[in-house]
């Protein structure tokens, strides 16, 4: 996902200033997608009208590829596809704050999908060889900025109602309301037009993902990071992520790095949530391996590389431990410099829940001088939809204002619940017709 400056992100994203970057070549890593029609689906959130008062109202409305799915009617978008056709869906939760749990149902029967990648990294075997594989799942938890790519088999011609839902997510007593909502109605149609993008055949022999087998490595150190909040003043809420033993502080770009480590280091990080709402730990530049949730080892199915993970909310009962996740962090590759980690609920990030990490070259000592390289370089093994903060808020604002002047943005007519209207859609999204409302 591409979006504006960190620290002022929520308003920018909910104003529409986000986009999708796809790195081609997944067929060379996971040949199962070769020849499949590709759908790119981008979900965004938006502020509800001020007159909405229903007790069952969500915290945010949703759109998919600019088709609004609004409270209270929740009229879903529609996709027509040939009966029982396989397609490759690339899904991005480009929302600022929305948490989703995706599930596909045909006439009320939950369907199995085959996950190809999470957060831009193909699913791999756990045998140390990083052999690409497919992960069968019946639901997908997708945080803000989460990315997932999967293969679906469309409904048969006899299916009356095929729907992609987002299910209810319990975000905690202080969290947002994220109820069950229909997102996309799939219409089986023998005359359906395929999406214009078809995944090509592999151009080279299948290769591994290229990740180090960090499970077999001994971490250099273990750190604990803690999510906390101060909500006493509704007009001045404060959110913190603090390294254990350090002084609590709101994010400020003038602060020194909260963590300093070295290129090539392997570390274990425990992320603990002491608040009454869910948080999502995200770090730039690297992917981590999920080892434990709440002190218990995760299953083989959940032990995947990602860069965005949920940390459950605390019950408030003093006898209950704080929820946590344990992550194996691998600081290998071309990542020397300073970058950030934060909660990916952007309201929380914007209100202070972010900090800086500095990675020093492996041949430096602890007392080395500062390295001003910001380290914003992508790793060549990362395929699929990836997150890059590559623009400033000023540039995004200018593009949004002048978007009808650019050749890579076009106008498209979409017919929705409220009649025809014009939307600006990137070519990648617009070409994934027949998405209609």
């Amino acid at each position: 996902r591409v979006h504006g400056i960190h620290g002022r992100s929520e308003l920018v994203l909910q104003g529409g200033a986000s986009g999708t970057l796809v790195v081609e070549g997944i067929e060379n890593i996971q040949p199962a997608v070769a020849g499949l029609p590709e759908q790119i689906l981008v979900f965004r959130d938006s502020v509800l009208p001020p007159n909405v008062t229903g007790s069952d109202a969500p915290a945010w409305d949703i759109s998919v590829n600019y088709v609004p799915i609004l409270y209270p009617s929740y009229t879903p978008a529609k996709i027509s596809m040939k009966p029982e056709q396989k397609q490759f869906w690339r899904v991005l939760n480009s929302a600022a704050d929305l948490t989703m749990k995706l599930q596909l149902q045909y006439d009320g029967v939950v369907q199995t999908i085959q996950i190809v990648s999470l957060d831009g990294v193909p699913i791999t075997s756990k045998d140390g060889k990083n052999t690409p594989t497919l992960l069968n799942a019946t639901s997908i938890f997708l945080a803000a900025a989460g990315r997932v790519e999967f293969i679906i088999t469309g409904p048969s011609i006899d299916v009356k109602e095929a729907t992609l839902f987002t299910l209810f997510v319990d975000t905690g007593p202080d969290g947002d309301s994220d109820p069950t909502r229909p997102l996309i109605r799939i219409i089986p149609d023998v005359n359906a037009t395929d999406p214009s993008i078809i995944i090509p055949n592999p151009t080279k022999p299948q290769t591994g993902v290229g990740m180090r087998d960090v499970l077999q490595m001994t971490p250099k150190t273990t750190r604990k990071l803690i999510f906390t909040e101060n909500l006493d003043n509704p007009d001045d809420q404060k959110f913190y992520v603090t390294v254990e033993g350090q002084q609590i502080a709101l994010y400020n770009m003038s602060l020194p790095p909260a963590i300093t480590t070295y290129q090539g280091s392997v570390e274990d990080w425990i992320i603990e949530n002491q608040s009454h709402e869910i948080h999502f730990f995200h770090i730039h530049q690297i992917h981590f391996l999920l080892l434990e949730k709440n002190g218990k080892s995760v299953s083989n199915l959940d032990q995947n590389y990602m860069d965005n993970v949920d940390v459950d909310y605390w019950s408030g009962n003093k006898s209950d431990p704080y929820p946590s996740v344990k992550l194996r962090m691998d600081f290998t590759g071309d990542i020397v410099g300073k970058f950030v980690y934060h909660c990916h609920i952007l309201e929380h990030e914007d209100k202070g829940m972010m900090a800086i990490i500095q990675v020093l070259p492996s041949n430096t000592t602890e007392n080395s001088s500062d390295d001003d390289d910001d380290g914003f370089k992508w790793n060549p093994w990362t395929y699929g939809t990836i997150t890059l903060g590559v623009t400033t808020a000023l540039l995004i604002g200018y593009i949004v204002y002048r978007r009808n002047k650019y050749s890579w943005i076009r106008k498209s007519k979409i017919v929705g619940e409220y009649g025809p209207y014009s939307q600006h859609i990137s070519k990648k999204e617009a070409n994934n017709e027949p998405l209609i409302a």
Side-chain angles (χ1 to χ4, degrees):
R1 179 173 78 170
V2 181
H3 67 83
I5 191 167
H6 284 73
R8 297 292 184 269
S9 296
E10 183 186 35
L11 183 62
V12 172
L13 262 70
Q14 291 182 340
S18 67
T20 309
L21 181 64
V22 174
V23 179
E24 304 292 355
I26 184 66
E27 68 278 358
N28 292 320
I29 291 182
Q30 181 47 267
V33 305
L36 297 184
E38 175 190 276
Q39 294 277 6
I40 298 177
L41 303 174
V42 181
F43 293 94
R44 296 178 171 90
D45 57 4
S46 59
V47 178
L48 272 70
N51 59 345
V52 172
T53 57
S55 60
D56 61 343
W60 316 101
D61 270 327
I62 303 179
S63 69
V64 54
N65 291 19
Y66 298 104
V67 176
I69 305 161
L70 305 178
Y71 172 84
S73 61
Y74 295 142
T75 302
K78 295 179 183 178
I79 291 178
S80 294
M81 59 187 296
K82 292 182 174 67
E84 301 182 71
Q85 182 186 47
K86 285 190 174 183
Q87 291 191 357
F88 179 49
W89 286 20
R90 300 183 189 262
V91 178
L92 165 64
N93 181 0
S94 194
D97 302 302
L98 174 71
T99 303
M100 308 175 72
K101 186 177 182 180
L102 301 178
Q103 187 175 85
L104 187 62
Q105 298 182 15
Y106 295 167
D107 288 338
V109 178
V110 175
Q111 302 297 301
T112 297
I113 61 174
Q114 294 180 297
I115 299 178
V116 174
S117 74
L118 290 170
D119 290 346
V121 178
I123 301 296
T124 64
S125 64
K126 308 303 185 300
D127 57 4
K129 300 178 182 179
N130 288 318
T131 307
T133 186
L134 298 173
L135 176 61
N136 291 333
T138 54
S139 64
I140 306 168
F141 197 86
L142 203 61
R147 293 91 72 207
V148 62
E149 296 167 293
F150 54 86
I151 298 170
I152 75 159
T153 300
S156 71
I157 196 68
D158 297 324
V159 171
K160 305 301 181 187
E161 190 168 296
T163 306
L164 179 69
F165 288 92
T166 179
L167 304 180
F168 165 75
V169 178
D170 182 5
T171 63
D174 290 338
D176 288 341
S177 172
D178 290 322
T180 296
R181 288 176 266 188
L183 301 173
I184 298 173
R185 186 69 43 81
I186 303 173
I187 310 298
D189 182 355
V190 294
N191 297 314
T193 302
D194 284 341
S196 60
I197 302 172
I198 306 296
I199 301 296
N201 290 323
T203 57
K204 58 184 179 181
Q206 183 182 18
T207 59
V209 176
M211 309 287 281
R212 295 202 297 178
D213 187 14
V214 295
L215 282 177
Q216 307 305 317
M217 297 181 181
T218 301
K220 179 180 179 181
T221 189
T222 298
R223 307 180 193 268
K224 179 183 282 189
L225 284 67
I226 303 170
F227 286 132
T228 55
E229 304 176 354
N230 184 340
L231 308 181
D232 293 344
N233 183 353
D235 297 322
D236 187 24
Q237 295 178 341
K238 295 179 173 65
F239 295 81
Y240 306 92
V241 55
T242 309
V243 178
E244 186 177 48
Q246 294 184 6
Q247 184 176 352
I248 192 170
L250 297 173
Y251 171 76
N252 187 308
M253 64 186 303
S254 64
L255 291 175
I259 294 174
T260 298
T261 189
Y262 294 86
Q263 186 181 29
S265 294
V266 174
E267 302 183 359
D268 281 354
W269 287 18
I270 297 170
I271 318 298
E272 186 176 89
N273 187 1
Q274 297 184 8
S275 75
H276 302 308
E277 64 178 307
I278 197 170
H279 292 293
F280 296 94
F281 176 79
H282 170 68
I283 187 168
H284 290 207
Q285 306 308 102
I286 71 169
H287 287 73
F288 48 74
L289 196 65
L290 177 62
L291 301 179
E292 297 178 4
K293 267 202 162 189
N294 301 324
K296 296 181 179 179
S297 298
V298 299
S299 70
N300 190 54
L301 294 178
D302 290 328
Q303 198 174 74
N304 295 298
Y305 289 99
M306 57 188 71
D307 63 20
N308 201 3
V309 65
D310 59 295
V311 190
D312 294 336
Y313 64 88
W314 181 47
S315 67
N317 188 332
K318 293 183 179 181
S319 63
D320 291 340
Y322 294 120
S324 65
V325 295
K326 186 176 183 179
L327 314 174
R328 177 114 339 144
M329 320 292 285
D330 184 9
F331 294 98
T332 192
D334 191 10
I335 59 168
V336 171
K338 296 176 184 178
F339 46 94
V340 295
Y341 56 88
H342 55 88
C343 174
H344 224 305
I345 297 175
L346 293 188
E347 178 190 14
H348 301 172
E349 175 213 280
D350 288 350
K351 294 180 178 179
M353 197 171 267
M354 181 161 62
I356 299 170
I357 177 173
Q358 181 176 29
V359 179
L360 298 174
S362 57
N363 59 354
T364 60
T365 64
E366 191 169 351
N367 296 321
S368 295
S369 61
D370 225 4
D371 189 324
D372 291 328
D373 181 357
D374 65 6
F376 284 165
K377 303 171 184 176
W378 65 281
N379 292 318
W381 45 261
T382 302
Y383 284 83
T385 307
I386 61 175
T387 304
L388 294 173
V390 296
T391 57
T392 67
L394 179 61
L395 178 59
I396 286 182
Y398 179 75
I399 290 173
V400 170
Y401 176 71
R402 295 291 303 278
R403 55 190 175 180
N404 62 329
K405 301 293 185 182
Y406 289 81
S407 61
W408 48 269
I409 293 181
R410 75 172 197 181
K411 274 194 173 184
S412 175
K413 290 287 187 180
I414 300 177
V415 178
E417 179 183 4
Y418 305 102
Y421 57 96
S422 294
Q423 290 286 352
H424 289 79
I425 302 178
S426 68
K427 279 188 176 180
K428 267 285 191 179
E429 292 174 299
N431 286 341
N432 277 281
E433 296 162 352
L435 179 64
I436 60 174

